[in-house]
Every structure is written in C-alpha cells, then in structure tokens.
Amino acid sequence: MSDKGEYKRDQNYLPDRITADGRDGWPVEPGRYRLVVARACPWANRAVIVRRLLGLEPVLSMGIAGPVHDERSWSFDLDPGGRDPVLGIERLQEAFFKRDPDYPRGITVPAFVDIPSGQVVTNDFAQMTLDMSTEWTAYHRSGAPELYPEKLRDEIDDVAQKVFTDVNNAVYQCGFARSQEAYEHSYRKLFTCLDWLSDRLANQRYLVGDTITEADIRLFTTLVRFDAVYHGHFKCNRQKLTELPVLWAYTRDLFQTPGFGDTIDFAQIKEHYYVVHKNVNPTGIIPLGPDTAGWLTPHGRENLGGRPFGDGTPPGPPPAGERVPELA
C-alpha cells in the first residue's frame, strides 16, 4: 500500500521457468509437473484456458484449490480428505516451503509444482502462459492454435501490458484503495481503458490480429468477473459489463468459445471474493446475482470475421474431473 492509499501488487515471483532445454534446471517433461490453480482466481484462470486450448491435459496435470483461503494459503478442500491427490498436500504453501522453508512472499496461484520433489517451480503467472505456448510445443495437441505468434508478439505484449495495468490490476486498485483519491484515480484509469478497448474492438473481433491470442485471454478473465464481483464488490460501478455493448458482446463471444466459458465457475468466483475479502465485505454475505443466462445469448461478433483458432481447431471437452457446472 502506498502512502497515498493506493494498492501496490507484489510482483516478485519465483522466476524459474520450465523450458524445452531445461536451462533453469526444469526441463519440459510429460507428467512431471502439476499446474495448481483456483477457479476463483483470474490469474490462474489464464493458465487453465491456455492449457485447454493447447491440449496439454495429458502431459500437465491440474490441481484445483478451493475458492476460500486464509493467511496460510490456498487449500485443497475440494479434494477427498482435503489433500491434493497427486501432491499429497493440504495447502499450496507446503510446496513453497519445500522450495524455501523461509519463503517470505505470498503463496499464489497459478503455480507449477515439480511432482517428484514436491517443490514449487514458479508462480510467475505472466511467463507461465507464454511458456506453455512456446516451450511446450512438442506436446501441443494437433490443431492447437498459435496464441503467441512470433510476428505479433510486440503488439500482443504492448496490448497485454496496458490491459494488465489499466484493467486486470486496476480493478483491485479500486477495490483495495485506502483513500478516496487513490480510488478515484484507479476508477478513472479503468474506465478510460475500457472505453479504449471498446473503440478498438468495435470493428475487429479480437484484440490483435484476426485470431484469439494471449491478449484476449488476459482481458477475458477480468471481464468475465466484472458484473459478478468487480462492479459491486470493488466499486467499479460506472457501468456494468452488460451496459458496455461492444465489450459485453466480445466477452460473450469468447465465453461461448470452447476453452473459455467451460473454465468458469461463477459460484466459486463469488465465494472467493465476498468471503475472503473481509476488509471489503465484513459480513461475508455472497450475493445471489447477477443472472447468468445472458452469457449464452447470441453476440453477433462472427459478423466481424476472424477465425477463433486460426488454422487450428477447437479443443475437445474438458476431462470429466475438470468440468464446471453448466449455466442454468
């Protein structure tokens, strides 16, 4: 927290990378690593989507923590006996402490964990998804899309950085602000960027190029949570997503694309934010709304052209143990 009451995200993550050549000591190997996520977390949601789109499920298993955590970190309370069935741990912090018994920073998802040693490899969420696209190529499914095409990387990076600063992180800066000045600054930054995104997407289906890229995935995981959480809980209330015609249609388009909406569990999302953030919602009451039926209504974005997966194909259905509840 800054001296002006502005929320400052700790971005010092474990920097190791899992790479094809193993230069950090962690070579890509099928079955060796476990991706630990939580359905509630937008940063983890990115990794879940990328893994689905690239078809890495057979070589990269996934552990799913429950939506509520305490100061001791995310726990595997959704699993039988409250333990991850592969790692055998109750809380993600155990993997961090295996790596460093005095680990001083936040225990965050997503995280790659080395199954043989039980140690966390990295929790650098931004690099993790890029590496899944560029370092795990030997294990991509046939028809996997190019989410980070080399010729578009500079533009993807530029757009993704703006989205991180002014949307992904700005909603938290609104919600966790400790002064009126800090809140209003973040609020204006957020909606200025949403207006910019609306203009950019008014005549093109995706953020960069004519296919889904990493930039779209990074924006989607915030927008899909907007009305359920950020509009009310974090006071991002100039408009709801459903009142922003271009962005509402854009997000529905992605939601209805295989690999996106089938990773979203609105109940877990709401439980996490409204229960864990006691400083924002001291009662812990979880709202019943909003109605989710609109997510499956026609969006019309196909009229802008574009090919969701480029020369690739949609992913198949999620594995049975990874399916989320269908919308009513």
Side-chain angles (χ1 to χ4, degrees):
M1 196 69 65
S2 76
D3 56 5
K4 294 184 177 180
E6 182 182 35
Y7 170 67
K8 297 287 188 182
R9 181 175 298 278
D10 181 357
Q11 296 186 58
N12 291 301
Y13 303 103
L14 290 168
D16 288 9
R17 295 171 58 190
I18 299 172
T19 58
D21 63 6
R23 55 186 175 273
D24 286 355
W26 308 103
V28 170
E29 292 180 16
R32 175 171 174 177
Y33 305 100
R34 189 156 175 82
L35 171 64
V36 177
V37 302
R39 294 287 188 196
C41 174
W43 320 101
N45 196 176
R46 298 175 176 189
V48 177
I49 292 170
V50 170
R51 174 177 171 270
R52 282 269 295 120
L53 297 181
L54 299 179
L56 291 173
E57 294 100 329
V59 298
L60 178 62
S61 68
M62 186 167 77
I64 304 174
V68 177
H69 65 73
D70 58 21
E71 68 279 357
R72 292 174 294 170
S73 86
W74 299 91
S75 60
F76 296 100
D77 50 296
L78 301 178
D79 291 309
R83 289 183 179 273
D84 180 271
V86 173
L87 300 173
I89 59 177
E90 294 180 341
R91 295 177 181 274
L92 181 57
Q93 69 174 7
E94 296 174 53
F96 280 78
F97 292 159
K98 275 274 187 78
R99 171 75 180 264
D100 178 359
D102 300 314
Y103 185 74
R105 298 191 177 278
I107 311 295
T108 62
V109 290
F112 281 137
V113 178
D114 178 51
I115 296 171
S117 68
Q119 298 180 36
V120 67
V121 176
T122 182
N123 60 339
D124 186 351
F125 63 88
Q127 189 61 51
M128 287 170 65
T129 52
L130 298 182
D131 284 345
M132 289 163 76
S133 281
T134 60
E135 300 292 335
W136 290 74
T137 53
Y139 302 101
H140 288 181
R141 65 179 176 87
S142 175
E146 271 198 278
L147 301 176
Y148 196 49
E150 192 164 357
K151 65 181 180 181
L152 296 177
R153 286 181 188 175
D154 288 345
E155 186 177 1
I156 291 171
D157 290 346
D158 288 345
V159 172
Q161 182 58 44
K162 184 174 180 64
V163 165
F164 170 78
T165 302
D166 295 357
V167 179
N168 301 146
N169 199 46
V171 295
Y172 285 88
Q173 291 177 320
C174 288
F176 294 152
R178 289 294 172 266
S179 73
Q180 189 69 30
E181 178 187 6
Y183 163 71
E184 292 185 9
H185 171 74
S186 299
Y187 174 99
R188 293 190 180 98
K189 176 173 65 174
L190 167 65
F191 281 99
T192 295
C193 190
L194 292 181
D195 290 342
W196 176 79
L197 288 164
S198 290
D199 289 343
R200 184 180 181 96
L201 290 164
N203 296 303
Q204 65 185 62
R205 192 170 179 184
Y206 304 112
L207 280 172
V208 181
D210 66 350
T211 65
I212 291 167
T213 67
E214 178 81 18
D216 297 293
I217 296 165
R218 295 188 180 197
L219 178 58
F220 171 80
T221 59
T222 295
L223 294 184
V224 76
R225 288 163 172 75
F226 201 88
D227 288 5
V229 177
Y230 304 138
H231 177 268
H233 184 60
F234 278 175
K235 306 179 185 70
C236 302
N237 62 354
R238 191 191 79 178
Q239 289 148 301
K240 297 176 182 176
L241 177 68
T242 53
E243 297 166 347
L244 297 167
V246 171
L247 292 181
W248 174 223
Y250 165 80
T251 312
R252 294 203 318 281
D253 184 7
L254 291 175
F255 188 91
Q256 294 170 30
T257 299
F260 284 83
D262 55 28
T263 71
I264 301 299
D265 187 320
F266 284 113
Q268 289 196 31
I269 288 169
K270 290 192 296 182
E271 184 179 358
H272 169 72
Y273 284 91
Y274 287 101
V275 172
V276 171
H277 300 156
K278 291 293 188 184
N279 58 332
V280 179
N281 185 44
T283 65
I285 293 172
I286 304 168
L288 293 178
D291 185 0
T292 57
W295 284 103
L296 301 180
T297 59
H299 52 76
R301 296 282 295 178
E302 67 277 2
N303 295 329
L304 295 174
R307 301 171 299 151
F309 302 103
D311 295 329
T313 58
E322 297 179 8
R323 292 175 188 166
V324 299
E326 293 185 8
L327 297 186

